[in-house]
Amino acid sequence: MSQPALSGAVAALEESLGTQLVERTTRKVLLTAAGERVAHRAALVLAELDRLVEEVRAERGPLTGALRIGVIPTVAPYLLPAVLPRLAKDFPELSLSVREEQTDPSLAELLQGRLDVVILALPAPAAGLVERPLYDEDFVLVAPESYDLESEEDGEGLLSRRVLGDLDVLLLNEGHCLRDQTLDICREVGARAAAATYATSLATLVQLVSGGLGVTLVPESAVQAETRRGGGLTVRHFAQPAPYRRIGIAYRATSPRAAEFDAFAASVRAAVRARRWNVRVLD
């Protein structure tokens, strides 16, 4: 809405209710106490309207009509090329919209009803959600070829986590759950994170490693796509128990579309199996 149209709508609502809802100054607009109450009630009404639409949609059959998906950035570039064609095949009447965003903003959008389901690393850091696991994937070490890692190998050429204690580990920027997972692994073995070097994507991290600035941890699903872009790299797997992450979906516990989301999860798992990644699909 344009600003004049919005102001006119608010003024009409104030006249209809017979009370002032906003306090206007030359610099800002604040809700009055009555405005706070009206805004709260309006949010509840809109949430119920969304539920009504979802319930009607669910009656038409599994996964028809609109589905709004959120996907975290360390999953989207690798999973979506496999999943989107599968969903189009399994649910031809489904109209998808996809939003790539970090975990916290995605969950805020989900809880506010602007997304229907989010694909992310579990567990989700929010209450009021139902989670369905999709697959577990190990982290692998990506390092410059010049690094001598043989002293940390076991008999099968796998690395101990302790190797991280002697290396500078490059991280994603704050807000990425993969950054937090990497930091947790580093803390377990007393490793240090490179304090002055961060990146906004796995692609940039791997390029920094290729330039000799340190090492990084990359989830198995991203290894092939990212390491082929940079030269002078070595990819090494960890001995068991290897560090890993669990990828799954989350949706609102109040949503009437639980059966649809279970069908969605099953389709994603089938797409991952067909991709033949070195991951553990979870049924």
Side-chain angles (χ1 to χ4, degrees), residues 40-194:
H40 174 70
R41 293 290 183 181
L44 296 177
V45 170
L46 290 172
E48 285 301 310
L49 180 59
D50 287 341
R51 290 193 63 190
L52 171 63
V53 173
E54 287 182 342
E55 288 177 3
V56 172
R57 184 182 295 132
E59 293 296 323
R60 299 203 304 261
L63 289 176
T64 60
L67 183 67
R68 302 163 298 177
I69 303 173
V71 192
I72 60 174
T74 58
V75 169
Y78 321 107
L79 184 62
L80 291 180
V83 166
L84 295 182
R86 180 77 188 208
L87 290 173
K89 176 184 176 182
D90 291 348
F91 309 103
E93 296 185 35
L94 182 63
S95 176
L96 279 176
S97 62
V98 179
R99 184 177 305 173
E100 183 185 35
E101 187 57 88
Q102 294 176 2
T103 299
D104 288 347
S106 291
L107 292 180
E109 295 280 286
L110 178 64
L111 291 170
Q112 292 166 13
R114 290 193 282 268
L115 291 175
D116 299 309
V117 63
V118 174
I119 302 175
L120 73 169
L122 300 179
L129 301 175
V130 175
E131 299 176 359
R132 293 286 184 264
L134 298 172
Y135 58 91
D136 290 345
E137 60 177 339
D138 291 343
F139 291 109
V140 302
L141 181 72
V142 178
E145 283 182 342
S146 59
Y147 280 33
D148 181 10
L149 304 174
E150 292 184 3
S151 61
E152 295 295 339
E153 291 180 354
D154 64 9
E156 298 179 353
L158 301 175
L159 293 177
S160 165
R161 295 189 191 198
R162 293 191 305 272
V163 69
L164 296 173
D166 299 322
L167 302 171
D168 286 324
V169 182
L170 306 181
L171 301 173
L172 290 172
N173 285 345
E174 291 185 11
H176 290 275
C177 61
L178 183 56
R179 169 193 172 91
D180 298 330
Q181 293 160 347
T182 302
L183 284 172
D184 287 341
I185 297 166
C186 290
R187 280 190 285 266
E188 286 180 16
V189 297
R192 62 184 183 273

Side-chain angles (χ1 to χ4, degrees), residues 74 77-79 137-143 178 202-203 206-207 216-230 233-238 245 277-279:
T74 58
Y78 321 107
L79 184 62
E137 60 177 339
D138 291 343
F139 291 109
V140 302
L141 181 72
V142 178
L178 183 56
L202 283 174
V206 172
Q207 293 303 314
T216 196
L217 297 181
V218 175
E220 187 72 55
S221 61
V223 170
Q224 183 177 2
E226 298 304 345
T227 56
R228 69 187 179 194
R229 301 173 184 172
L233 296 170
T234 182
V235 177
R236 307 297 299 275
H237 289 79
F238 290 97
R245 69 175 181 175
W277 283 333
N278 186 23
V279 302

